[in-house]
Amino acid sequence: MKDVYLLSGFLGSGKTSLLTDIIRQFKENGLKPAVIMNELGKLPFDSQSVEDDVPLKEMLEGCICCTGSEKTEAQLQTLLTGETFDVLLIETTGAAHPVEALDAVYSPLFAKELNVKGIVTVVDSKLWLDREKLSPQMRSLFLEQIRHSHLLLANKMDLLTDGEQAKVIFELQSFNSTATLIQTSHAKCPLSYLEKMNGSITEHQIVPAQIGKDLSLSTRLVTFKHPVIQDQFEDWLRTLPSTVFRMKGYVPIEGIKNPMLFQYSYGMVQWLPEFVKMEPSIVIIGEQISELKVPGSE
């Protein structure tokens, strides 16, 4: 199973600096990293910072979290089948919402091969202090990237006064109390902080909720043991709490030969026939999902 780290943060926050420094540290520890970089422009400026011996997949002119989702799956499949590496680093665009980015990474086709250790969000500390100047949409995304993070880097601390530093740390800790928070300059993060991340996917069995940890964004792989009745499954979907953000995978339906391709997003459901017999399993993304009982899985 390959460890995966998602690097999140606004444009200019320091994600690429973090990426290059993490690559250096992994190499010094004898590990070979691979990288997927997601850029909205036509020219891969940031990729120039990745050395030639690091397997690299680029996604230009498309966001990892929307139309680029299928491309992400293809890139991941290519890496997993055609490259030798120990750890995968995915740098998202500044416009990527963490839930959508995680959704794009997790395909049931290779969920068992990946262990997403978590989301590392680089926060521009000066921007945090000036966040009220952002447009409502940009401010909302900025806050969502921070709220769903598992490791927060309060970056550019060297540009702040002692009083401003204390204010940033207090406010970020209050806003996301479950994430580990460290102060950085030039996005320098010791590798030990990343390696301590617990991973955000659990196996299909029900596990006890963990206070604190269970409140953060996580993923769960569920394998079906028997087919379900479609109407009853949809009735169950309507009972789900708002903390379930995404589900996707292949659901075995009574009376239908192959499991159907299934997608769920904030209450919206989509079913598509599948002409190849896929493994009956789904990936769930949300908060407080460890005790969620899925029909057909027990």
Side-chain angles (χ1 to χ4, degrees):
M1 183 175 279
K2 310 285 189 184
D3 285 345
V4 182
Y5 298 91
L6 272 168
L7 309 184
S8 174
F10 258 37
L11 184 69
S13 62
K15 288 197 308 295
T16 301
S17 296
L18 172 65
L19 175 66
T20 53
D21 192 54
I22 290 175
I23 289 173
R24 175 189 62 78
Q25 293 185 70
F26 272 126
K27 285 183 172 183
E28 289 177 355
N29 281 268
L31 296 173
K32 183 176 182 180
V35 174
I36 291 180
M37 298 186 82
N38 179 212
E39 304 177 43
L40 289 174
K42 291 186 178 182
L43 297 175
F45 294 110
D46 283 354
S47 64
Q48 296 170 12
S49 62
V50 178
E51 296 175 22
D52 292 339
D53 62 339
V54 176
L56 171 69
K57 296 294 179 184
E58 295 169 300
M59 293 180 56
L60 304 180
E61 292 191 283
C63 183
I64 194 171
C65 60
C66 39
T67 55
S69 181
E70 291 181 2
K71 293 180 183 177
T72 307
E73 289 191 10
Q75 301 284 42
L76 279 166
Q77 195 78 323
T78 302
L79 276 175
L80 288 168
T81 57
E83 299 282 358
T84 301
F85 64 95
D86 301 306
V87 59
L88 177 60
L89 305 169
I90 300 177
E91 181 187 346
T92 64
T93 71
H97 188 289
V99 173
E100 276 80 1
L102 198 56
D103 179 54
V105 172
Y106 260 123
S107 165
L109 296 175
F110 41 72
K112 291 181 180 178
E113 298 179 53
L114 302 177
N115 175 40
V116 175
K117 296 276 282 183
I119 298 170
V120 183
T121 300
V122 185
V123 181
D124 182 331
S125 297
K126 287 187 71 68
L127 183 61
W128 172 263
L129 293 173
D130 295 332
R131 62 191 181 279
E132 295 304 320
K133 297 179 182 178
L134 295 170
S135 69
Q137 294 89 345
M138 294 292 281
R139 185 166 63 249
S140 175
L141 177 61
F142 183 52
L143 296 177
E144 285 290 281
Q145 289 179 343
I146 295 168
R147 185 170 81 86
H148 290 301
S149 178
H150 302 98
L151 174 62
L152 279 172
L153 272 57
N155 197 32
K156 304 186 180 180
M157 278 290 171
D158 53 318
L159 304 180
L160 304 183
T161 65
D162 290 346
E164 288 173 331
Q165 289 181 9
K167 180 178 173 65
V168 168
I169 295 303
F170 176 77
E171 290 181 349
L172 287 177
Q173 284 181 328
S174 300
F175 189 72
N176 182 347
S177 61
T178 62
T180 300
L181 174 64
I182 63 171
Q183 302 177 53
T184 60
S185 296
H186 309 292
K188 298 286 186 183
C189 176
L191 197 59
S192 58
Y193 282 98
L194 276 75
E195 293 174 334
K196 288 175 187 174
M197 297 170 76
N198 291 314
S200 60
I201 191 161
T202 59
E203 289 300 328
H204 63 272
Q205 71 268 21
I206 302 300
V207 296
Q210 294 177 283
I211 302 302
K213 292 180 183 177
D214 201 49
L215 297 176
S216 59
L217 184 64
S218 60
T219 53
R220 183 174 152 211
L221 178 64
V222 175
T223 301
F224 291 92
K225 295 181 179 177
H226 55 80
V228 298
I229 298 172
Q230 187 170 346
D231 287 347
Q232 293 181 0
F233 193 79
E234 290 184 353
D235 287 341
W236 169 75
L237 292 173
R238 283 188 278 271
T239 69
L240 291 176
S242 59
T243 51
V244 178
F245 304 138
R246 289 278 197 280
M247 283 189 277
K248 66 178 179 180
Y250 301 94
V251 179
I253 302 295
E254 281 192 11
I256 297 178
K257 181 180 178 182
N258 295 324
M260 292 187 71
L261 176 60
F262 163 77
Q263 295 191 64
Y264 172 95
S265 176
Y266 296 99
M268 302 291 288
V269 178
Q270 182 181 37
W271 296 95
L272 291 172
E274 182 58 60
F275 300 103
V276 178
K277 188 173 179 62
M278 307 299 292
E279 181 179 354
S281 62
I282 58 173
V283 172
I284 304 172
I285 300 173
E287 298 169 347
Q288 305 170 47
I289 60 174
S290 63
E291 294 189 356
L292 197 64
K293 295 184 179 180
V294 181
S297 66
E298 298 178 351

